[in-house]
């Protein structure tokens, strides 16, 4: 089997594995306090990633600046980003959560447009933003009866803000690229992000009806650690080395479809035409925004 074939298999693993994590989180937080569940999962995943990184590269950057940087990124991506999504999935269907999370790439573009004077809005970017926000409106319309529940409304809004913090953390992470041991650094980010979640859990979580040894919760925890973090992350790293970046990152357009279908088939979550229209609208919008953004960068590079 050639390297390209293995890379496409790795890409397929990413599309499926990361799409299933929303369902696993939904199952886990139905028995565990959300921050505690996410925190334990990320701490265990982080420790395993540290071991893999050291075994692979045999060295690591342990300078104060690098550790502080990774702690900050872990707080933005894992503590706020993943933790908030986990918390919201106590009241929000996993498919709806996945659909809203597709806004992350667009939020990254918006942050870049605000932070960089060289990047400006174009017609393609504006159309994409309108399409994506239109998809979010469709989600709200499809769940309008549920919006009477303040917890449900708060959950949907908080997931959107979680995608903004995830986008910010992703952008800041690019400012400091470590070539010594990227896997070890990711383990530090994941581990510290999870540790912050565990520490915040008593302040945020409710421990009523906590079922620490419930079988489904433990299985979902194990699945998220092994498949969601270790296997999928390793596959992602391999695919990035062998395939174009633009193709590999298109996994973000497939994950929500996997999440929506699994939520419908396994958890009996609602699936209507509005759900499908929201999916198409958001994915199309994010695609247009990224296309417009890339075209602008190519134009800027050509003139410099």
């Amino acid at each position: 089997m050639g390297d390209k074939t293995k890379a496409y298999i790795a890409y397929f693993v990413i599309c499926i594995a990361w799409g299933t994590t929303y369902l696993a989180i939904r199952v886990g937080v139905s028995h565990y306090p959300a921050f505690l569940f996410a925190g334990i999962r990320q701490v265990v995943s982080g420790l395993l990633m540290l071991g893999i990184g050291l075994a692979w590269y045999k060295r690591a950057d342990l300078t104060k600046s690098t550790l502080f940087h990774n702690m900050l990124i872990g707080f933005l991506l894992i503590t706020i980003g993943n933790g908030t999504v986990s918390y919201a999935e106590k009241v929000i269907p996993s498919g709806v959560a996945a659909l809203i999370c597709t806004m992350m790439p667009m939020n990254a573009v918006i942050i870049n447009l605000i932070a960089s004077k060289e990047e400006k809005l174009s017609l393609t970017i504006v159309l994409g933003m309108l399409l994506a926000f239109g998809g979010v409106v469709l989600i709200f319309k499809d769940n309008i009866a549920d919006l009477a529940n303040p917890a449900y409304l708060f959950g949907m809004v908080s997931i959107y803000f979680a995608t903004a913090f995830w986008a910010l953390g992703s952008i800041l992470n690019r400012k400091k690229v470590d070539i010594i041991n990227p896997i070890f650094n990711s383990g530090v980010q994941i581990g510290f992000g999870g540790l912050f979640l565990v520490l915040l859990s008593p302040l945020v979580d409710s421990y009523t009806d906590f079922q620490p040894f419930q079988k489904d919760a433990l299985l979902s925890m194990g699945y998220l650690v092994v498949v969601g973090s270790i296997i999928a992350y390793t596959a992602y790293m391999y695919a990035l080395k062998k395939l174009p970046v633009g193709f590999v990152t298109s996994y973000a357009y497939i994950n929500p479809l996997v999440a929506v279908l699994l939520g419908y088939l396994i958890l009996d979550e609602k699936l209507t035409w509005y759900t499908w229209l929201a999916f198409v609208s958001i994915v199309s919008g994010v695609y247009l925004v990224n296309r417009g953004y890339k075209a602008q960068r190519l134009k800027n590079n050509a003139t410099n």
Side-chain angles (χ1 to χ4, degrees), residues 114-233:
I114 294 173
S116 176
K117 295 181 180 179
E118 297 180 356
E119 295 166 3
K120 300 178 180 178
L121 289 173
S122 67
L123 179 60
T124 303
I125 292 174
V126 172
L127 288 175
M129 291 172 65
L130 291 175
L131 260 179
F133 279 117
V136 174
V137 171
L138 284 172
I139 295 175
F140 276 82
K141 180 176 176 60
D142 195 25
N143 297 273
I144 194 165
D146 297 314
L147 297 182
N149 179 0
Y152 193 98
L153 177 60
F154 176 78
M156 293 186 74
V157 173
S158 62
I159 288 179
Y160 175 77
F161 279 103
T163 67
F165 279 100
W166 186 280
L168 176 61
S170 299
I171 292 170
L172 292 176
N173 199 32
R174 291 184 180 182
K175 303 296 183 181
K176 183 173 178 141
V177 180
D178 175 44
I179 60 175
I180 295 178
N181 194 331
I183 296 179
F184 182 88
N185 272 13
S186 295
V188 175
Q189 293 172 7
I190 294 171
F192 270 109
L195 178 61
F196 294 146
L197 282 168
V198 172
L199 294 175
L200 288 171
S201 175
L203 302 176
V204 177
D205 286 326
S206 169
Y207 285 75
T208 304
D209 298 326
F210 179 25
Q211 301 171 301
F213 303 110
Q214 208 279 338
K215 182 180 177 181
D216 289 344
L218 293 177
L219 287 175
S220 64
M221 175 83 73
Y223 180 85
L224 287 167
V225 169
V226 177
V227 179
S229 295
I230 306 304
I231 293 178
Y233 182 81

Side-chain angles (χ1 to χ4, degrees), residues 22-23 25-38 82-94 97 149 151-152 154-156 158-159 201 204-211 217 269:
Y22 293 95
L23 174 66
I25 290 172
R26 175 74 167 172
V27 172
V29 299
S30 65
H31 303 286
Y32 262 67
F35 268 36
L36 181 64
F37 179 81
N82 181 258
T84 302
V85 171
S86 299
Y87 188 83
E89 280 205 49
K90 274 190 163 293
V91 292
I92 300 296
S94 60
N149 179 0
Y152 193 98
F154 176 78
M156 293 186 74
S158 62
I159 288 179
S201 175
V204 177
D205 286 326
S206 169
Y207 285 75
T208 304
D209 298 326
F210 179 25
Q211 301 171 301
E269 293 180 353

Side-chain angles (χ1 to χ4, degrees), residues 217-270:
L218 293 177
L219 287 175
S220 64
M221 175 83 73
Y223 180 85
L224 287 167
V225 169
V226 177
V227 179
S229 295
I230 306 304
I231 293 178
Y233 182 81
T234 304
Y236 184 59
M237 294 292 289
Y238 184 80
L240 280 176
K241 289 183 179 180
K242 304 296 180 180
L243 300 173
V245 174
F247 175 77
V248 176
T249 54
S250 67
Y251 78 85
Y253 305 141
I254 301 174
N255 287 168
L257 180 60
V258 174
V260 168
L261 290 175
L262 284 178
Y264 171 73
L265 293 172
I266 298 177
L267 298 180
D268 294 324
E269 293 180 353
K270 184 169 58 177

Side-chain angles (χ1 to χ4, degrees), residues 240-301:
L240 280 176
K241 289 183 179 180
K242 304 296 180 180
L243 300 173
V245 174
F247 175 77
V248 176
T249 54
S250 67
Y251 78 85
Y253 305 141
I254 301 174
N255 287 168
L257 180 60
V258 174
V260 168
L261 290 175
L262 284 178
Y264 171 73
L265 293 172
I266 298 177
L267 298 180
D268 294 324
E269 293 180 353
K270 184 169 58 177
L271 184 60
T272 69
W273 283 109
Y274 283 118
T275 308
W276 291 108
L277 287 173
F279 172 78
V280 173
S281 183
I282 291 175
V283 169
S284 300
V286 171
Y287 171 78
L288 285 177
V289 169
N290 280 294
R291 181 176 179 179
Y293 181 59
K294 289 178 181 178
Q296 191 174 99
R297 278 192 302 176
L298 291 173
K299 184 178 179 180
N300 290 337
N301 292 336

